[in-house]
Amino acid sequence: MAEFQVVVADPEDGTTHQFDVDGQDANRFIGRSLGEEVDGSAVGLEGYTVELTGGSDNAGRPMRPDVAGPGIKRVLLTGGVGYKPQRDGERKRVTVRGSEVGEETRQINAKIADRGSESVADLLGLESDEGDESDDDE
């Protein structure tokens, strides 16, 4: 059975939220590729839509959007996801994971694409810390 950690970014306020997803909700992600949208109810965001932006597998290999399928592949890179060259013209052969979410995927990165009627804080039961400063007398 698949089990993921889904990290959802909220581009509107710059926050991120982590969710552990398994079972039926995890099956909503299997077979999806980077750039596709998934119903947010899989991570507890009813009425929202999240877009898959990246991820990694159980060995830490990053998912690359230009590599097809869920498997691993050794590709010659000049930069981008999975490799940062130190000099101009430098290339390196790196093992990366394909753009499709599979059984080996352990972390999925996503961002909110479409918003629902309720705020993220309300759906997740988060309270704002503003004005909650406690006055501890010593």
Side-chain angles (χ1 to χ4, degrees):
M1 174 100 4
E3 183 176 329
F4 308 119
Q5 180 178 33
V6 180
V7 180
V8 179
D10 187 351
E12 195 169 278
D13 61 5
T15 60
T16 59
H17 306 282
Q18 295 183 4
F19 305 95
D20 290 326
V21 178
D22 59 357
Q24 191 66 17
D25 290 333
N27 289 337
R28 295 183 190 184
F29 292 99
I30 298 287
R32 301 291 181 118
S33 294
L34 299 182
E36 288 188 35
E37 294 183 351
V38 178
D39 183 25
S41 62
V43 292
L45 298 174
E46 299 292 333
Y48 281 66
T49 302
V50 296
E51 178 184 345
L52 304 181
T53 58
S56 59
D57 66 1
N58 52 5
R61 293 181 205 98
M63 295 173 70
R64 265 189 80 96
D66 57 350
V67 176
I72 58 174
K73 187 163 184 155
R74 290 186 45 85
V75 292
L76 187 63
L77 300 178
T78 58
V81 176
Y83 176 62
K84 182 178 179 184
Q86 302 299 314
R87 297 173 291 183
D88 286 342
E90 187 176 11
R91 301 184 306 172
K92 186 174 182 181
R93 191 164 303 278
V94 179
T95 304
V96 294
R97 179 72 54 185
S99 64
E100 186 177 314
V101 176
E103 293 289 329
E104 297 292 317
T105 305
R106 289 297 166 254
Q107 178 182 343
I108 299 172
N109 302 329
K111 68 178 182 180
I112 295 175
D114 292 326
R115 298 192 162 277
S117 58
E118 292 187 63
S119 71
V120 175
D122 291 342
L123 287 172
L124 300 178
L126 303 175
E127 296 179 11
S128 64
D129 293 334
E130 298 175 18
D132 290 343
E133 296 179 22
S134 61
D135 296 327
D136 293 332
D137 294 331
E138 295 180 21

